[in-house]
């Protein structure tokens, strides 16, 4: 990936917007909507991919269709200073963690966890708490999504093999 800043004009913005709305939109359809040929759209998409503006194309799936019916956000508080790379190693070991990030404020990290049910979520939480440097966690269960078409309401990749069988 190129490290220099990518040029990004209004046509690029329109292309990206169209692809974000529906990644299966053809270059011809996008071109017709914004006044470019399909070849010109493809060239721009290739450049946007090459410069890292577009990082991939994906399908969004309702988590419940994959067996994930419970979700929560978990604040993680660590003993001392836990480096982000160590936290990243830990979260990679838990396939139920859909997203993880370091944050400002009292918590050291915030985890987005998906599970089959509350019992499964409790098992995941206990596995996370077993990490020696984790001092405490605070969990908030998601009741409903107020923006049901947002990326957070769906998943962009299937549950890892065996994740729904974890006990």
């Amino acid at each position: 990936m190129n490290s220099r800043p990518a040029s990004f004009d209004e046509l690029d913005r329109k292309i990206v917007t169209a692809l974000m709305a529906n990644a299966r939109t053809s270059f011809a359809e996008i071109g017709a909507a914004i006044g470019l040929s399909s070849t010109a759209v493809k060239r721009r998409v290739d450049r946007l991919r090459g410069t890292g503006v577009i990082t991939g194309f994906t399908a969004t799936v309702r988590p419940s269709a994959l067996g994930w019916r419970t979700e929560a956000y978990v604040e993680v508080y660590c003993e001392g200073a836990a480096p982000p790379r160590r936290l990243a190693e830990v979260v990679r070991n838990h396939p139920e963690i859909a997203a993880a990030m370091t944050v400002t404020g009292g918590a050291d990290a915030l985890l987005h966890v998906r599970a089959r049910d509350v019992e499964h979520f409790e098992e995941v939480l206990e596995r996370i708490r077993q990490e020696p440097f984790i001092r405490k966690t605070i969990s908030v269960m998601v009741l409903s999504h107020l923006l049901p078409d947002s990326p957070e309401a769906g998943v962009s990749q299937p549950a890892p093999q065996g994740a729904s069988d974890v006990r």
Side-chain angles (χ1 to χ4, degrees):
M1 182 169 71
N2 195 339
S3 62
R4 63 189 171 118
S7 62
F8 194 79
D9 63 18
E10 189 58 31
L11 289 172
D12 291 335
R13 188 171 312 284
K14 289 177 180 178
I15 290 168
V16 169
T17 300
L19 290 172
M20 287 173 63
N22 180 358
R24 293 180 55 127
T25 305
S26 72
F27 295 151
E29 291 172 304
I30 295 170
I34 66 172
L36 290 177
S37 69
S38 59
T39 304
V41 172
K42 182 191 181 316
R43 212 172 19 252
R44 283 174 175 261
V45 168
D46 288 346
R47 179 179 46 80
L48 292 167
R49 290 184 73 197
T51 58
V53 172
I54 295 175
T55 58
F57 301 89
T58 188
T60 302
V61 179
R62 295 249 177 253
S64 60
L66 301 173
W68 303 109
R69 291 180 171 36
T70 300
E71 80 183 286
Y73 287 88
V74 179
E75 291 181 348
V76 175
Y77 297 80
C78 300
E79 290 290 347
R85 75 175 175 278
R86 177 65 181 117
L87 287 166
E89 290 170 15
V90 168
V91 299
R92 282 189 196 104
N93 292 327
H94 302 282
E96 299 88 352
I97 298 176
M101 58 285 300
T102 56
V103 294
T104 62
D108 294 293
L110 182 65
L111 311 178
H112 183 192
V113 178
R114 294 188 189 276
R116 290 185 316 272
D117 51 33
V118 173
E119 180 180 308
H120 182 204
F121 171 73
E122 186 176 24
E123 292 168 9
V124 173
L125 191 57
E126 288 307 314
R127 280 190 272 130
I128 293 167
R129 287 178 177 161
Q130 287 176 1
E131 295 296 332
F133 63 88
I134 293 181
R135 180 171 48 93
K136 76 173 185 175
T137 61
I138 297 176
S139 303
V140 179
M141 300 295 291
V142 174
L143 299 177
S144 63
H145 285 271
L146 301 177
L147 301 173
D149 294 328
S150 69
E152 290 76 18
V155 293
S156 60
Q157 53 190 318
Q161 285 288 351
S164 62
D165 299 329
V166 176
R167 281 241 179 221

